Amino acid sequence: MRQKYYVQLIKNNDSSYLNRTNNFCMVCGYKSDEIFQTKFTEDEIKDIDPRYMAFAVPVEED
């Protein structure tokens, strides 16, 4: 399985995670649901904007 990441734009701020639905991105919390994608592979992050890799935080699997 490929490593997944959250993209947290402001460190220690739970409302600053990148969320995506279809081709629309927004910044809010990281609680995933059926509408928003909050966990991304490295390739997915780079497809959105390679500069976001600087804000990638590895997701720890349960």
Side-chain angles (χ1 to χ4, degrees), residues 2 7 15 23 26 30 39 45 47-48 50-52 57:
R2 301 180 93 184
V7 177
S15 297
N23 291 326
M26 63 184 289
Y30 65 92
K39 299 176 185 176
I45 295 169
D47 284 344
I48 297 168
R51 296 172 290 184
Y52 284 153
V57 178

Side-chain angles (χ1 to χ4, degrees), residues 3-4 6 58-62:
Q3 175 68 50
K4 295 277 188 161
Y6 294 116
V59 173
E60 295 181 17
E61 294 300 325
D62 296 330

Side-chain angles (χ1 to χ4, degrees), residues 21-44:
T21 180
N22 298 327
N23 291 326
F24 179 72
C25 291
M26 63 184 289
V27 176
C28 60
Y30 65 92
K31 301 289 185 192
S32 62
D33 58 26
E34 296 177 9
I35 298 172
F36 292 103
Q37 177 185 3
T38 58
K39 299 176 185 176
F40 304 92
T41 64
E42 184 174 336
D43 289 338
E44 289 172 324

